[in-house]
């Protein structure tokens, strides 16, 4: 018979091992999503409903056996719907909501690209293990092309659907951005692959200059701008924003989910401030990290932020021995302190309801 003293640690161990097992299942499922995304399987399922495993393999040019095994896993996990239990004769379909989450890249629910982050991490893990020993950084290019594409795709729906609403919480800025007689100039710092610049130039009669330190990212951004026919109003340049300002006279300078990645956020904020025109201000979108540590924490967003920091943002930001990136656990008080030290008069938290991001306006 087990006495109370041994039962309690045993129950705790069972619960913890259950948590780790569930995490392992989720990791395997996310890699399955990666295959569905990168091999065009979800797209093919969306375009040809009620398709057999063999026809799906043939239409996507894939091996039949691998495709059938993938479909089985997807059906068991509920990411794909099977018409019956026999894999040889069943037909397959996306479930309700599947197109939005797995195929439509501008849907507010799109999340298939999340699978690119573990793929990129897998590539960088050997360097990360070594970085933990040496304290060195692991630059973004070490994570490979999935890193750039993954982080770009994750924010694209929000910029496409919501960026104009966020701007509307600053009525004077929104008015300035709609002025056709004197088009406003916007600088997008750490612009990634240009989706925010494209959303802004689509919504408002403005010009946008995007700057990013990563040349592969800048190359992608330029392609995206060109494919949207916006090269006359959007420029994208390689620029380290901890260096002196590349240009000035901007009505709005933005940091969209990138200040926390920067090696020297204090310098980047000073750069941003010096880029402003009279009456301009800085708009910051950052992670909605809670005000203080809660551990353990049931909130998946807080768990995501705290766990992704040492894997992704901190190593990418440690570009020099004295670099001090904030990381994704960027609390409002820390951002306010950084802004004050960079000379901003006031840090305002904007009234936007969002489970993942917090929005700030920095007044010079
Ligand atoms: C998480 S991504 C966000 C990109 C984009 N703003 C978006 O939301 O899609 C962070 C970006 O900051 C850029 N970045 C980091 N440090 C930088 C620096 N010192 N100067 C310019 N860009 C930097 C990275 O190259 C990367 O593209």
């Amino acid at each position: 018979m087990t006495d109370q003293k041994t039962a309690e640690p045993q129950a705790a161990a069972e619960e913890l091992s259950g948590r780790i097992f569930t995490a392992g299942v989720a990791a395997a499922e996310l890699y399955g999503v990666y295959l569905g995304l990168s091999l065009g399987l979800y797209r093919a399922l969306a375009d040809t409903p009620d398709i057999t495993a063999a026809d799906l393999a043939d239409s996507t040019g894939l091996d039949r056996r691998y495709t059938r095994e993938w479909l089985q896993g997807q059906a068991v996990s509920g990411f794909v719907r099977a018409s019956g239990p026999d894999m040889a004769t069943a037909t397959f379909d996306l479930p309700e909501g599947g197109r939005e989450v797995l195929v439509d890249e501008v849907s507010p629910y799109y999340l298939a690209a999340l699978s690119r982050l573990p793929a990129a991490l897998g590539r960088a893990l050997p360097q990360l293990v070594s970085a933990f020993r040496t304290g060195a950084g692991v630059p973004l290019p070490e994570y490979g092309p999935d890193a750039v594409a993954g982080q770009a795709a994750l924010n694209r729906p929000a910029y496409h659907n919501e960026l104009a609403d966020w701007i509307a919480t600053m009525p004077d800025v929104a008015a300035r951005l709609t002025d056709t007689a004197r088009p406003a100039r916007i600088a997008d710092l750490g612009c990634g692959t240009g989706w925010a610049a494209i959303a802004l130039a689509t919504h408002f009669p403005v010009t946008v200059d995007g700057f990013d330190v990563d040349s592969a990212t800048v190359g992608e951004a330029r392609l995206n701008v060109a494919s949207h026919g916006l090269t006359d109003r959007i420029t994208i340049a390689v620029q380290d924003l901890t260096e002196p300002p590349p240009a000035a006279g901007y009505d709005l300078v933005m940091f969209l989910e990138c200040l926390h990645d920067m090696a020297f956020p204090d310098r980047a904020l000073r750069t941003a401030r010096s880029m402003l025109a009279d009456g301009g201000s800085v708009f910051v979108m950052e992670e909605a990290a809670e005000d203080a540590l809660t551990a353990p924490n049931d909130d998946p967003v807080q768990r995501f932020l705290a766990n992704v920091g040492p894997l992704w943002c901190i190593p990418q930001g440690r570009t020099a021995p004295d670099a001090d990136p904030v990381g994704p656990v960027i609390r409002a008080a820390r951002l306010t302190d950084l802004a004050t030290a960079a000379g901003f008069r006031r840090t305002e938290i904007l009234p936007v309801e969002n489970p993942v991001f917090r929005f700030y306006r920095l007044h010079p």
Side-chain angles (χ1 to χ4, degrees):
M1 216 168 101
T2 329
D3 66 22
Q4 187 66 21
K5 272 194 181 142
T6 53
E8 274 174 22
Q10 202 174 321
E14 261 172 37
E15 196 201 324
L16 184 55
S17 75
R19 286 270 320 273
I20 303 288
F21 182 69
T22 305
V25 174
E29 288 180 334
L30 214 42
Y31 282 113
V33 171
Y34 181 86
L35 291 177
L37 173 68
S38 52
L39 296 171
L41 287 157
Y42 292 130
R43 166 77 56 194
L45 284 163
D47 291 348
T48 318
D50 301 322
I51 190 169
T52 63
D55 285 346
L56 180 65
D58 294 350
S59 70
T60 47
L62 299 175
D63 177 78
R64 284 190 174 189
R65 177 70 197 278
Y66 279 126
T67 305
R68 198 174 73 223
E69 296 289 338
W70 177 81
L71 273 171
Q72 180 169 269
Q74 294 287 299
V76 168
S77 289
F79 299 166
V80 163
R81 197 165 45 195
S83 66
D86 181 352
M87 288 299 298
T89 57
T91 58
F92 298 89
D93 210 354
L94 288 182
E96 203 168 330
R99 180 182 280 276
E100 289 85 344
V101 176
L102 301 167
V103 180
D104 179 357
E105 293 173 7
V106 293
S107 159
Y109 301 101
Y110 182 68
L111 215 50
L114 182 64
S115 66
R116 288 184 163 232
L117 301 193
L121 261 174
R123 181 170 159 151
L125 266 182
Q127 286 101 307
L128 268 176
V129 168
S130 144
F132 264 68
R133 297 204 169 96
T134 63
V138 182
L140 178 61
E142 300 294 334
Y143 291 69
D146 277 314
V148 172
Q151 60 190 13
L154 285 176
N155 285 346
R156 182 181 174 191
Y159 299 147
H160 182 84
N161 298 301
E162 298 169 50
L163 183 48
D165 295 339
W166 304 336
I167 299 287
T169 63
M170 305 177 286
D172 56 319
V173 174
R176 178 71 192 91
L177 266 50
T178 43
D179 183 349
T180 46
R182 200 168 52 95
R185 294 180 64 215
I186 300 176
D188 183 4
L189 309 188
C191 64
T193 58
W195 293 121
I198 290 167
L200 282 168
T202 307
H203 275 99
F204 300 104
V206 296
T207 60
V208 187
D209 295 332
F211 302 96
D212 200 288
V213 72
D214 182 61
S215 52
T217 299
V218 164
E220 282 294 314
R222 287 179 176 152
L223 290 176
N224 291 333
V225 169
S227 72
H228 283 72
L230 288 166
T231 47
D232 56 333
R233 289 198 291 127
I234 300 178
T235 70
I236 308 282
V238 176
Q239 175 74 33
D240 183 345
L241 293 156
T242 56
E243 302 287 327
Y250 292 99
D251 301 288
L252 185 66
V253 173
M254 311 190 301
F255 289 99
L256 301 178
E257 212 202 0
C258 60
L259 185 64
H260 75 259
D261 289 313
M262 294 192 178
F264 301 99
D266 47 346
R267 290 187 207 162
L269 282 166
R270 259 180 236 118
T271 298
R273 192 170 180 279
S274 66
M275 290 172 73
L276 291 172
D278 280 350
S281 47
V282 173
F283 176 71
V284 182
M285 167 178 125
E286 265 303 351
E287 319 294 349
E290 287 177 350
D291 290 342
L293 175 71
T294 305
N297 197 322
D298 287 338
D299 180 341
V301 172
Q302 302 305 316
R303 280 164 48 199
F304 183 79
L305 298 179
N307 281 285
V308 96
L311 299 172
W312 195 275
C313 317
I314 299 287
Q316 288 178 22
R318 293 189 81 182
T319 55
D322 56 339
D324 190 16
V326 180
V329 184
I330 179 163
R331 308 198 193 283
R334 178 79 197 279
L335 197 146
T336 304
D337 285 350
L338 282 166
T340 305
F344 288 93
R345 195 170 38 86
R346 187 159 71 91
T347 298
E348 177 186 359
I349 295 181
L350 296 167
V352 179
E353 285 295 320
N354 191 295
V356 181
F357 298 117
R358 187 179 294 122
F359 301 85
Y360 305 81
R361 178 176 182 178
L362 312 184
H363 299 261

